[in-house]
Amino acid sequence: MGLIGHQLLRSYPLLQAFAKAGMANRLLVQNVRCITVIHGDINKLSVKVKKFVEDGVSLCKPDNIHIVDGSDAENEHIIDIMTKAGMVKKLKKYENCWLTLTDPADVARVESKTFVVTPAQRATVPIPKEGVKGTVGNWMSPENWEKEHGERFPGCMKGRTMYVVPFSMGPIGSPLAKVGVQLTDTPYVVASMRIMTRMGEKALQGLGDSDFVKCLHSVGQPLPMSTNLVNNWPCNPAKTIVSHIPAKNEISSFGSGYGGNSLLGKKCISLRLGSIIARDEGWLAEHMLILGITNPKGVKKYVAAAFPSACGKTNLAMMEPSMPGFKVECVGDDIAWMKFDGEGRLRAINPEAGFFGVAPGTSLDTNPNAMYTIEKNTIFTNVAETNDGGVYWEGLEKFTPSDATITDWHGKPWSRDSGKPSAHPNSRFCTPARQCPVIDPAWEDPKGVPIDAIIFGGRRPEGVPLVYEAFNWQHGVFLGAAVKSEATAAAEHKGKVIMHDPFAMRPFFGYNFGHYMKHWLSMESRGQTPKIFHVNWFRKNDAGKFMWPGFGENSRVLDWIIRRCSGEDIAMETPIGYVPKPGTIDMSSLKDDVDMEGLFTLPKKFWQAEVAELRNYFEEQVNDDMPVEMNNQLNSLAERISKM
Ligand code: OXD
Ligand code: MN
């Protein structure tokens, strides 16, 4: 691709001289250096976007600029650059599918290095009880951020191309959509953002001179590199830092090229900054899938469900119901933006355009629709490869010939008896949502879909029933605040500890968790709040085996939930909430032998311990910011349990 840009940023006096001298395809920065615009039309950018690019160039000092248009031809060019750099490899078994293996030091989100920058600490995090380390977010002062930023970004793109990536989170033109512009020095981000967002020229249509979210991203390895390049994946784990500056509508991310650290529309805008905007504007930005379920009578309801990372959101969002005559359709698998409409109905959009799903465990058995979705136009990261150019990961054993030769995510020969996983547990597919065979017809409806139920859940091996319903909105908010789950590989945590993950948002809160609960409580005065439920697909019996078959059988639970939303008398009260009356979860044609009684037992000792632990957690972590309504909920729960 030759030089396409023939424009100037006109803000510097010397620029005119260059223009006259026929150097119009360059951007002059700080009156010192000329930067070639190798792709795109700088004059099509608004004054504010140009200024942002100009500032980014003068800070990061890239060799040239590529303004992304989002076209197919451009994508081919980007893939070609990555192929030549050894960053991606074609998977010849499929159409337009690519494999990336990262530096093994850059494989997941890094919560401990992710910050929200506000003058007051308490705006971002509750002040924990003395002597306790806060776990519901990381705060940084603007002064510290200036220092950290200053130690990293100056000159960080030397020798590299700076890509200017405009994107829209949400369908273009939706009143809920938000525009961002990301400056990045890795083509992997460009190719991935094209899948995950509405990227390119179209994102800027209608922006005019309005503000946009400013996203600055660098892998933190100016050329020549000072350390060894591992797997052709430049990154700088020792200096990684992801920061959000709400006052400036800005995000800056340094050192990591991976997923949520680098695709800044996802967790950074849609959840962290998104939750702040949502609080200020009176709506909700949540870590939730959105699905539509239609029963055999043709009644369709939409639900939004929050589960911690890697707990099966993608599987649930596009499940094949085992119950005859039911249909599930997917609106989104990770993020929901929900707002009351003029009639007071809660409506949700999925701000994303793709799925960045965890690969291991995904198969034709567990999620056939995901498997069909990823057959083309997909970027796989840190999965294993078969000798015929296909993908492989834990869960695909049965679908892969036993004599296939497999190369693991380190690029090394791998065998099934090696005792090590072939794919990284947090390996991912990045694939366009529109390819999903069960994508909902309304998934891009700018007004969003009406939400009838909100579901919370986590991996709870003990004590927590298959499903229960909150007594009311306040109790439902309490259920969200009390979400706990076994740790997974999506972040840097180790082992199977049960961790608090309130609202499945702990890694993604943009502001103080105590204020966040208050905001949820306030939704009751804004419109008709949906019913709230809690589910647990992961309860184990004494032998350590899962008690519920899960996957397509979860439709039985969804069916019970939507029947409750239609007002059916199929629930009974227990100390923790309403549970299904015996026999009201439809078990017809279920092949497995399920211990339904066992799935709903409420061991008193377990719940007493749960309440004590929750009290301790809230006291230690939320401290003075705990809303009184939530303390009342906890006290009432303790009281009900004491009478069990
Ligand atoms: C994700 C996550 O990538 O939650 O969606 O980690
Ligand atoms: Mn997620």
Side-chain angles (χ1 to χ4, degrees):
M1 192 157 295
L3 297 184
I4 297 177
H6 292 282
Q7 305 83 31
L8 289 172
L9 286 187
R10 299 187 188 283
S11 44
Y12 294 103
L14 261 180
L15 217 55
Q16 275 94 45
F18 275 97
K20 279 192 200 123
M23 300 182 73
N25 56 336
R26 284 156 184 242
L27 162 63
L28 182 74
V29 177
Q30 289 184 335
N31 293 351
V32 188
R33 298 170 65 225
C34 262
I35 308 282
T36 307
V37 181
I38 55 168
H39 184 117
D41 185 346
I42 207 113
N43 286 321
K44 282 199 181 156
L45 302 181
S46 71
V47 173
K48 285 183 179 156
V49 177
K50 268 186 200 169
K51 169 85 170 75
F52 176 52
V53 174
E54 198 175 52
D55 290 348
V57 167
S58 72
L59 177 68
C60 305
K61 306 210 175 352
D63 269 18
N64 47 48
I65 304 171
H66 175 131
I67 301 165
V68 162
D69 61 26
S71 65
D72 289 347
E74 176 187 71
N75 189 49
E76 272 169 36
H77 170 64
I78 296 288
I79 296 280
D80 191 48
I81 292 176
M82 289 198 284
T83 308
K84 287 186 178 132
M87 234 186 153
V88 297
K89 177 180 176 201
K90 188 164 171 51
L91 287 161
K92 60 176 191 287
K93 191 164 172 185
Y94 320 108
E95 184 189 329
N96 192 29
C97 286
W98 305 88
L99 173 63
T100 299
L101 303 180
T102 70
D103 182 329
D106 190 21
V107 291
R109 284 186 286 101
V110 279
E111 276 168 45
S112 55
K113 297 174 181 181
T114 299
F115 298 89
V116 177
V117 179
T118 46
Q121 180 173 2
R122 205 158 160 192
T124 295
V125 285
I127 311 302
K129 205 164 143 187
E130 223 182 304
V132 172
K133 188 180 171 322
T135 57
V136 282
N138 296 316
W139 168 76
M140 191 182 275
S141 69
E143 297 72 32
N144 267 351
W145 179 76
E146 289 293 344
K147 184 175 151 285
E148 300 289 346
H149 189 79
E151 283 170 5
R152 288 170 173 78
F153 283 93
C156 67
M157 295 188 187
K158 266 200 191 125
R160 299 191 185 275
T161 296
M162 182 169 94
Y163 298 93
V164 179
V165 185
F167 60 95
S168 169
M169 298 315 294
I172 291 176
S174 165
L176 273 171
K178 300 274 174 241
V179 173
V181 177
Q182 179 164 345
L183 308 180
T184 180
D185 53 7
T186 168
Y188 174 83
V189 162
V190 180
S192 306
M193 290 289 277
R194 184 166 190 264
I195 296 171
M196 295 306 297
T197 72
R198 284 92 179 165
M199 181 193 85
E201 272 166 15
K202 58 185 175 205
L204 292 176
Q205 280 160 21
L207 179 69
D209 217 25
S210 311
D211 287 327
F212 54 93
V213 186
K214 298 188 183 99
C215 306
L216 177 61
H217 170 250
S218 171
V219 293
Q221 284 291 359
L223 294 171
M225 279 181 60
S226 51
T227 53
N228 280 346
L229 181 64
V230 181
N231 277 348
N232 299 311
W233 179 267
C235 60
N236 193 341
K239 292 224 142 171
T240 293
I241 184 166
V242 182
S243 29
H244 307 68
I245 309 98
K248 297 197 207 168
N249 211 10
E250 228 174 85
I251 295 159
S252 67
S253 169
F254 186 93
S256 167
Y258 202 82
N261 301 329
S262 70
L263 312 179
L264 301 186
K266 192 172 181 61
K267 305 300 185 182
C268 299
I269 293 190
S270 295
L271 291 178
R272 296 196 193 94
L273 284 191
S275 62
I276 298 175
I277 300 168
R279 174 199 59 194
D280 296 345
E281 295 179 356
W283 49 279
L284 297 169
E286 301 299 327
H287 192 204
M288 291 182 179
L289 66 90
I290 310 164
L291 65 81
I293 175 160
T294 310
N295 72 13
K297 292 187 195 124
V299 178
K300 182 166 189 177
K301 302 254 186 233
Y302 286 97
V303 306
F307 302 102
S309 306
C311 281
K313 281 206 296 299
T314 307
N315 290 347
L316 187 66
M318 49 185 90
M319 68 133 95
E320 282 295 317
S322 61
M323 293 173 81
F326 279 80
K327 185 161 78 176
V328 162
E329 287 163 300
C330 173
V331 176
D333 79 327
D334 197 41
I335 297 173
W337 284 354
M338 300 189 286
K339 192 175 190 172
F340 288 112
D341 65 13
E343 274 97 61
R345 283 215 77 178
L346 192 62
R347 291 191 162 265
I349 64 162
N350 167 17
E352 302 190 280
F355 307 123
F356 186 69
V358 176
T362 310
S363 74
L364 287 173
D365 281 345
T366 60
N367 192 342
N369 289 317
M371 294 308 287
Y372 302 135
T373 308
I374 62 185
E375 273 172 1
K376 54 184 183 193
N377 307 320
T378 300
I379 300 174
F380 295 90
T381 305
N382 289 342
V383 304
E385 188 189 355
T386 55
N387 51 316
D388 60 347
V391 290
Y392 185 81
W393 51 71
E394 285 42 60
L396 291 182
E397 295 80 356
K398 175 174 143 191
F399 305 94
T400 310
S402 53
D403 60 352
T405 310
I406 290 168
T407 306
D408 72 7
W409 74 280
H410 294 287
K412 300 262 161 36
W414 180 87
S415 69
R416 292 188 187 204
D417 54 14
S418 69
K420 288 192 213 130
S422 63
H424 187 276
N426 191 38
S427 54
R428 300 282 179 142
F429 51 78
C430 178
T431 193
R434 63 172 191 287
Q435 290 179 188
C436 178
V438 293
I439 198 72
D440 192 82
W443 84 282
E444 295 202 277
D445 186 337
K447 4 184 241 313
V449 296
I451 296 296
D452 284 296
I454 289 177
I455 304 173
F456 293 108
R459 290 177 185 263
R460 298 301 308 265
E462 247 191 282
V464 179
L466 179 63
V467 57
Y468 60 109
E469 177 189 325
F471 295 125
N472 50 44
W473 181 254
Q474 261 190 26
H475 182 225
V477 176
F478 175 75
L479 298 189
V483 167
K484 295 201 236 173
S485 192
E486 246 175 22
T488 67
E492 72 264 52
H493 310 293
K494 300 265 169 342
K496 292 231 158 202
V497 285
I498 306 275
M499 294 177 64
H500 283 272
D501 195 345
F503 297 84
M505 280 287 281
R506 195 208 57 236
F508 311 119
F509 286 128
Y511 63 97
N512 183 317
F513 167 40
H515 305 166
Y516 174 94
M517 285 186 267
K518 277 209 182 95
H519 177 56
W520 263 76
L521 290 168
S522 80
M523 293 302 281
E524 212 177 358
S525 63
R526 296 175 201 264
Q528 303 147 37
T529 45
K531 277 183 180 291
I532 297 182
F533 298 82
H534 188 284
V535 299
N536 176 27
W537 320 132
F538 300 96
R539 194 164 182 172
K540 289 182 176 167
N541 61 18
D542 293 343
K545 280 197 69 182
F546 287 119
M547 297 172 78
W548 177 247
F551 304 107
E553 305 300 353
N554 293 339
S555 55
R556 298 174 193 280
V557 175
L558 291 183
D559 169 50
W560 185 82
I561 288 175
I562 62 168
R563 281 159 58 212
R564 280 299 290 157
C565 294
S566 303
E568 282 191 40
D569 178 18
I570 48 176
M572 59 187 199
E573 195 171 330
T574 73
I576 66 164
Y578 296 118
V579 300
K581 283 185 181 166
T584 59
I585 292 194
D586 187 342
M587 300 293 277
S588 51
S589 74
L590 178 68
K591 286 185 216 85
D592 305 50
D593 198 11
V594 177
D595 171 10
M596 284 308 265
E597 213 183 297
L599 272 169
F600 285 96
T601 48
L602 300 175
K604 182 166 180 171
K605 265 203 173 137
F606 169 89
W607 278 96
Q608 279 174 326
E610 181 79 356
V611 167
E613 198 281 333
L614 275 171
R615 192 180 297 287
N616 186 50
Y617 174 71
F618 289 135
E619 276 173 13
E620 286 192 350
Q621 290 296 328
V622 198
N623 204 2
D624 292 344
D625 288 321
M626 190 68 184
V628 61
E629 295 89 336
M630 292 288 95
N631 273 330
N632 293 344
Q633 286 293 336
L634 185 62
N635 292 336
S636 311
L637 175 64
E639 165 109 21
R640 292 193 302 266
I641 285 169
S642 72
K643 294 192 189 128
M644 264 163 90

